[in-house]
Amino acid sequence: MTRLILRKTFLAIITILAIIVLTGFLLHLVPGDPVTALAALGASSNPQVMAEMRSRLGLDLPVWQQVGLYVWNVLHADLGKTIRGDEPVLNVLLSRLPSTLILAVSGLGMALLVGIPVGVFSAVKRGSVADAVLTMIMVFGASLPAFWTGLLLVQVFSLKLGWLPVAGTGWRNLLLPALTLGLAYCTLVSRVTRSAIVEVLGKDYVRTARARGLREHQVLLVHALRPALLSIATVGGLIFAHLLGGQIVVENVFAWNGIGRVAVQAMLARDYPLIQGFIIVFSTSIVILSTVLDVLYAALDPRIRRI
């Protein structure tokens, strides 16, 4: 187990270093440069002022030197400063990261809370009318775009009923965006849960448990749901990773001050250091989460340790 943890940690460090280097090349993969973009957005187009700005941002250096300097600074926890506002990028992202984590955890919790019971029920009632109706409802819910679901919830619960605020940051403001994200992903959770439990219910040890006279809920919870947790944990981890960077639309619909909203503002303002910082923070989070999940799988299933 220790060797597996060390191997996964080493691979994660290599991956993060590769991400930082590739992100350093980002400025040179897009046409123009931040100074030209700022001039197009109304900043000074005086050649002398633009040259001074390029010099201040280090854009007049050779590409290899710019990338090397960027990587060196990132390794020392310096992601640069925003072009608009001249604030440290790391501080801007860290100040918004807790809000994004809260929303991601809430959205994942909502998806699991709805998806697992529906998946278990569908597996037990597989082939029945109830299973078909639930499947249809879940597919319909998953087919709705998140921004449309969010606007629909705002229309009903905020504007018509007046139960919840439209936007903002607070526990009451959290319910609608978390519900929006939960509805978007509960279908995936329910389908994975259903498939995993249907497969387990056909195993010999489940038939043996029933032959021993165990009650159906004991067979279901102890002998069927427990082995299925590995599949549910897998999809849960993937959903959480996606929520960390993929909830940009929902954050903007509900004016949630998370990292995704900052990313959109940075893209609109062409604030490249902030965009680079967002990519590094998001990618690093995915790598760390994947590493933790791999270790968790090995803890749940010893056979994986030998792979």
Side-chain angles (χ1 to χ4, degrees), residues 204-257:
D204 290 339
Y205 64 86
V206 173
R207 284 194 286 270
T208 303
R210 283 176 172 152
R212 289 169 53 200
L214 293 180
R215 295 181 178 179
E216 190 60 26
H217 73 274
Q218 291 177 308
V219 173
L220 197 60
L221 294 178
V222 178
H223 296 280
L225 186 57
R226 191 174 177 183
L229 285 179
L230 194 62
S231 300
I232 297 172
T234 302
V235 74
L238 294 175
I239 290 174
F240 185 72
H242 188 262
L243 286 175
L244 285 178
Q247 53 184 321
I248 293 175
V249 174
V250 175
E251 285 189 359
N252 279 277
V253 168
F254 293 97
W256 186 264
N257 286 322

Side-chain angles (χ1 to χ4, degrees), residues 286-302:
I286 298 290
V287 173
I288 293 174
L289 187 61
S290 300
T291 305
V292 172
L293 282 176
D294 285 343
V295 175
L296 182 62
Y297 298 155
L300 290 174
D301 188 351

Side-chain angles (χ1 to χ4, degrees), residues 74-107:
V74 171
L75 293 178
H76 289 78
D78 180 8
L79 299 181
K81 292 187 176 181
T82 60
I83 294 178
R84 288 179 176 273
D86 202 30
E87 298 177 68
V89 170
L90 187 60
N91 291 352
V92 173
L93 295 176
L94 289 180
S95 66
R96 301 294 187 94
L97 191 57
S99 297
T100 293
L101 287 174
I102 291 172
L103 184 56
V105 170
S106 303

